[in-house]
Amino acid sequence: MSELKNRPKQASFLYSLKAVVWSFTGLRRKSDFDADAAKLNPVHIVIAGLLAVACLVGVLIGIVKFVVL
């Protein structure tokens, strides 16, 4: 029973998305990374990473189309 109390609470999807976006920018603190390693759900990280990449590609395509026109 004490093992359940000692386990860290699972992070929400929005928390995972925030961690991925901060990691994309390269502005994560080591302490945040260590805390996230225990809380984050790998499935949330994969989905958040794919969403972040899709948004990044969309923004880059939009910038290129704006500059070319």
Side-chain angles (χ1 to χ4, degrees):
M1 188 65 134
S2 65
E3 290 179 18
L4 293 176
K5 291 180 182 178
N6 292 338
R7 281 182 35 199
K9 188 175 131 182
Q10 287 289 325
S12 68
F13 179 74
L14 290 177
Y15 184 84
S16 300
L17 185 62
K18 179 181 138 186
V20 167
V21 170
W22 278 113
S23 296
F24 266 40
T25 61
L27 299 174
R28 290 291 281 170
R29 288 184 292 213
K30 176 80 168 114
S31 61
D32 289 339
F33 176 76
D34 292 337
D36 290 345
K39 291 196 305 187
L40 293 177
N41 184 348
V43 175
H44 288 173
I45 294 297
V46 170
I47 294 169
L50 291 173
L51 284 173
V53 166
C55 289
L56 178 65
V57 168
V59 167
L60 290 175
I61 289 173
I63 290 172
V64 168
K65 284 187 176 189
F66 178 74
V67 170
V68 170
L69 292 176

